Amino acid sequence: MSNIDMIEAAADRLKGHVRETPLLSSPFLDEIAGRRVLVKPECLQHTGSFKFRGAWSAISALDDAARNRGVIAYSSGNHAQGVAYAAAQHGISSVIVMPSDAPKLKIENTRALGGEVILYDRATESREDIGEALATERGLTLIRPYDEPQVIAGQGTTGLELARQALELDVTEGDVLVCCGGGGLTSGIALALEHHAPGLRARPCEPEGFDDVKRSLQVGAIQSNNASSGNICDAILTPQPGLITFPILQRLCGPGLAVSEQEALHAVALAFLRLKIVLEPGGAVSLASALFRKDQIEGDTVIVVASGGNVDPQIFEQALEFLT
Amino acid sequence: MSNIDMIEAAADRLKGHVRETPLLSSPFLDEIAGRRVLVKPECLQHTGSFKFRGAWSAISALDDAARNRGVIAYSSGNHAQGVAYAAAQHGISSVIVMPSDAPKLKIENTRALGGEVILYDRATESREDIGEALATERGLTLIRPYDEPQVIAGQGTTGLELARQALELDVTEGDVLVCCGGGGLTSGIALALEHHAPGLRARPCEPEGFDDVKRSLQVGAIQSNNASSGNICDAILTPQPGLITFPILQRLCGPGLAVSEQEALHAVALAFLRLKIVLEPGGAVSLASALFRKDQIEGDTVIVVASGGNVDPQIFEQALEFLT
């Protein structure tokens, strides 16, 4: 089970390898939100998302023998790039199992970052079968994207930084909005805040129609989404909260927030205009919640974790239309 | 005359008000450049460019009586926004004299940041006449964009941060590429490096056809540009190096570099894709020089100061075409 000691140990292992992201702000965003907005841009993290933190944490926590045999992950997105790059930086091999219809750029990026990409046909093959055969054959360790204590610990280092940075600005109370898929980042941050900034409360943010975490928190039991795709926030479309993450979310988080695709895109545009950062829609649902769900938020200051920036130029251009 | 003591004093005055920008990097940019590239993204500074540093430095250096009477600046760009916001944060008034045909968004932003915008007709009026009349009438202090010792000192704080950050990465030798208009940022950084990282050498970067600083350094005397507009890098189109900045540049800088408009736009696109930051073309000529003038650069590591991100969405979309 993940706990604060694991997060602090992960922070020690990440030191000098992870990028400490700043807290950004803009008076223009404050005005829209009706309160001060502080944005932690994890899009500026290595590989363009917070996922590098969890990948580094998990790989660096392995014993030498296991680490030297290499790691494996199933992902076509940010987790793939985080694992591939963290493995390469450790000097070990990584296998990333991706669907053959994944965007070409993501496949190329994952390869260029040092990952061995194995493609499978979604229609006729099972990625788990392929992955298990490879893992057994080569002794690879599977790095799960969120339901894995050392991954949660790594994501939680975001919360350690954030708690310290907020305190430096005398912010000790308020909501911390976090983009939420399976809950690895949100649960890690919630654990860090519990110990280092107990007046700050993590709140998961999701796309409408894929708000499994919000509904699970309301009901008090794990709920699933009806669909698994078909939303522009592809980075955070997960079927349901994790078995490890959900109890943490339930114990520590405030109510979830959900925004529309258009609101997520609008937030991408405002982050471009006012913060000069590049967000993907799934990495902007937290900012969208701060800007467009202000009646559901408490306090004079809201903190926003903007989780990733791996967005296709075409989608970005769609967002920029909000500015013309 | 600007010197290192003034820069360090400016850093003390800026503390807690300026944003310390991180050093970013990407293995993809390293590969294009043929060496390690470290990017200091001043687009993430308050108001979207380094100009806030110089404005804060100059305003905070005034005596109380002068400061309370207010300040004035001539600018339609980044300096205007920096001065307006720094003045507002000091609780004093600012007058910004802008041409009536300046982009509407820039006028609105300057007003929203707290500046009193006075528009003039470029064809029939002189901004200096208008400015001097107002300055005399109200006792306003003029904040020049670069040829002003306290402004140079403020921009030089970028160099103090950079020297410390480079040292933390064991980078003690190499070129520091700086986007250069009138030379305030470049000369400030050069002074800071001279004292804190003498193995790092500042080099001004400009658009081709507007490379007055490059030519002035070659000839050893101030040279002017033939044109004053007509280039996409509008933020750094100045007629000639400053009278205060040039002797500093001449004493401390390596040769200038110049890139085409297309190369600047291409660098904007790569900064979007690989660093997840928003640059304007004039803020990306340093990155373009690192990527596309590699034979003119020395050392295993190059440091790039990306100076601003106030770009129109239409221009940004033009840059994104390099990715499709």
Side-chain angles (χ1 to χ4, degrees), chain A residues 135-218:
Chain A
T136 308
E137 187 188 320
R138 303 202 206 166
L140 305 174
T141 301
L142 175 66
I143 310 286
R144 291 186 181 79
Y146 51 86
D147 234 8
E148 158 62 45
Q150 288 296 2
V151 168
I152 294 170
Q155 320 306 26
T157 62
T158 316
L160 293 184
E161 285 178 20
L162 193 161
R164 201 194 62 245
Q165 292 168 322
L167 197 64
E168 284 170 8
L169 297 172
D170 291 323
V171 176
T172 54
E173 291 196 346
D175 285 345
V176 176
L177 311 186
V178 188
C179 304
C180 191
L185 179 62
T186 314
S187 61
I189 288 176
L191 285 168
L193 296 179
E194 179 189 22
H195 289 265
H196 290 283
L200 299 179
R201 178 177 68 156
R203 298 185 63 185
C205 300
E206 295 168 295
E208 287 171 358
F210 296 83
D211 58 348
D212 50 302
V213 172
K214 182 183 177 202
R215 288 183 290 107
S216 299
L217 290 174
Q218 279 170 338

Side-chain angles (χ1 to χ4, degrees), chain B residues 181-196:
Chain B
L185 179 62
T186 314
S187 62
I189 289 177
L191 285 168
L193 296 180
E194 179 189 21
H195 288 266
H196 291 283

Side-chain angles (χ1 to χ4, degrees), chain B residues 53 134 158 161 170 180:
Chain B
R53 295 179 185 262
L134 276 166
T158 316
E161 285 179 19
D170 291 323
C180 190

Side-chain angles (χ1 to χ4, degrees), chain A residues 19-20 22-28 31 41 43-44 46-48 81 85 105 108-110 112-113 271-279 309-314 316-317 320-321 323-324, chain B residues 19-20 22-28 31 41 43-44 46-48 81 85 105 108-110 112-113 271-279 309-314 316-317 320-321 323-324:
Chain A
R19 196 170 278 152
E20 177 169 323
L23 277 188
L24 305 179
S25 61
S26 160
F28 296 96
E31 193 176 329
C43 55
L44 304 180
H46 295 290
T47 72
Q81 295 187 49
Y85 191 57
L105 184 69
E108 286 174 0
N109 282 353
T110 307
L113 290 168
F272 160 88
L273 185 66
R274 300 308 184 188
L275 300 174
K276 313 305 175 189
I277 58 173
V278 175
L279 295 182
N310 290 313
V311 56
D312 288 332
Q314 294 78 6
F316 203 75
E317 285 174 15
L320 293 182
E321 285 170 22
L323 305 177
T324 54
Chain B
R19 196 171 277 151
E20 177 170 325
L23 277 188
L24 305 179
S25 61
S26 159
F28 295 98
E31 194 176 327
C43 55
L44 304 179
H46 295 290
T47 72
Q81 295 187 49
Y85 192 56
L105 184 68
E108 285 175 0
N109 282 353
T110 306
L113 290 168
F272 160 87
L273 185 65
R274 300 307 184 190
L275 299 175
K276 313 303 174 191
I277 57 172
V278 176
L279 296 182
N310 290 315
V311 57
D312 288 332
Q314 295 77 5
F316 202 77
E317 285 175 14
L320 293 182
E321 286 172 21
L323 305 177
T324 53

